[in-house]
Amino acid sequence: MKSLLFVMIAGLASAAMLVSCGGDGSKASASGPFGEIPSLVSDFETFSDAKRAELQGGGEDNMKKILGEMKAAEEKFKESMNAAFEKVKGKEVVTEIDPELPLKVVTPMKIEDISVSRHLVKLVGELELTATAIGFDSYEPTDAFELDDLVVLSYDNNGKPFAYDGLSKDMGGEPMPAGSKVPVDTHIHIESYNAASMGCLSKILITLKGSELYDQAKAAADALKGK
């Protein structure tokens, strides 16, 4: 009986943890590689939205008071974001590649920088070509694999995609042979609607825009936005 009770309690705890990492507007977890950054963005955006709604109440004195509160909150937000970044700077994010692409991971993407004002986390890494490839549309017949529109998909701890961002690569307009190293970087957008999922990011996956994996991530992201 005691063991059964333990199993039930453990199951409830696991379920609660999954809910807290969902995209349902709940408090963002700090268990993912981005640490406290998603929850800070979520809290700041919630506060800012509430204050902007208060501004509609009118009155010059009321407006000055609210604007002062918003400015103070923004300064605090900047300080907290920079402190949170220092805790996760250099942390690696599990990086996977769409098996349809002629790429493999040499150095997993890791956290290099943030943009506080734009709510971005910059990741950098290095990939290797496993076949001859070109970085842009060749506009001419070629046997090289075209890696024109690479994107990064974000997955939560349930293995579900929920966001997508562009991937920049150090490749020119000429074919590069297999074995060539390709430095890459991306800027992951954290918004109030995806902060809960970003809080428990489990991995990122690199694919091409327009692929089936990309379409799945885009549909999930649109659903979170409420489109």
Side-chain angles (χ1 to χ4, degrees):
M1 184 69 177
K2 184 180 292 185
S3 60
L4 177 60
L5 180 61
F6 176 79
V7 170
M8 293 174 64
I9 293 174
L12 290 172
S14 298
M17 184 168 63
L18 292 179
V19 169
S20 69
C21 281
D24 57 0
S26 58
K27 176 73 174 181
S29 168
S31 63
F34 296 157
E36 299 173 345
I37 292 175
S39 64
L40 289 172
V41 171
S42 178
D43 291 346
F44 178 70
E45 285 300 310
T46 299
F47 174 84
S48 298
D49 288 345
K51 289 301 175 183
R52 280 191 283 267
E54 286 184 34
L55 283 173
Q56 305 304 314
E60 185 175 346
D61 291 340
N62 183 56
M63 183 178 295
K64 287 182 179 179
K65 175 178 177 292
I66 294 173
L67 290 176
E69 292 174 347
M70 292 177 72
K71 183 176 181 180
E74 185 175 4
E75 290 301 316
K76 179 63 176 177
F77 173 65
K78 290 179 181 178
E79 293 176 5
S80 299
M81 284 283 281
N82 286 324
F85 166 64
E86 289 302 322
K87 295 179 182 178
V88 299
K89 183 178 180 180
K91 181 174 289 188
E92 290 187 350
V93 178
V94 175
T95 306
E96 296 182 359
I97 305 289
D98 182 341
E100 297 295 319
L101 301 185
L103 294 168
K104 69 178 182 180
V105 177
V106 176
T107 304
M109 304 291 279
K110 65 180 180 181
I111 300 170
E112 183 183 72
D113 202 359
I114 61 168
S115 170
V116 175
S117 61
R118 299 177 64 192
H119 305 171
L120 301 177
V121 177
K122 181 180 180 181
L123 305 179
V124 298
E126 187 176 55
L127 308 178
E128 181 180 321
L129 298 180
T130 58
T132 301
I134 188 170
F136 304 97
D137 190 331
S138 67
Y139 297 107
E140 296 179 1
T142 178
D143 292 329
F145 197 104
E146 295 181 352
L147 297 171
D148 191 11
D149 291 320
L150 289 173
V151 291
V152 172
L153 313 183
S154 297
Y155 287 76
D156 63 20
N157 66 327
N158 293 317
K160 297 180 179 179
F162 65 89
Y164 61 94
D165 293 280
L167 182 77
S168 299
K169 57 196 178 301
D170 188 8
M171 293 182 70
E174 297 296 327
M176 298 173 63
S180 299
K181 302 297 192 299
V182 181
V184 293
D185 67 79
T186 187
H187 292 81
I188 304 294
H189 289 71
I190 300 178
E191 308 286 354
S192 56
Y193 62 82
N194 70 18
S197 296
M198 284 293 181
C200 48
L201 176 73
S202 65
K203 70 176 183 180
I204 57 174
L205 183 143
I206 297 170
T207 187
L208 283 176
K209 187 175 183 180
S211 68
E212 183 177 349
L213 291 172
Y214 166 81
D215 289 342
Q216 292 171 0
K218 186 177 184 303
D222 288 344
L224 283 179
K225 293 178 190 176
K227 287 186 176 182

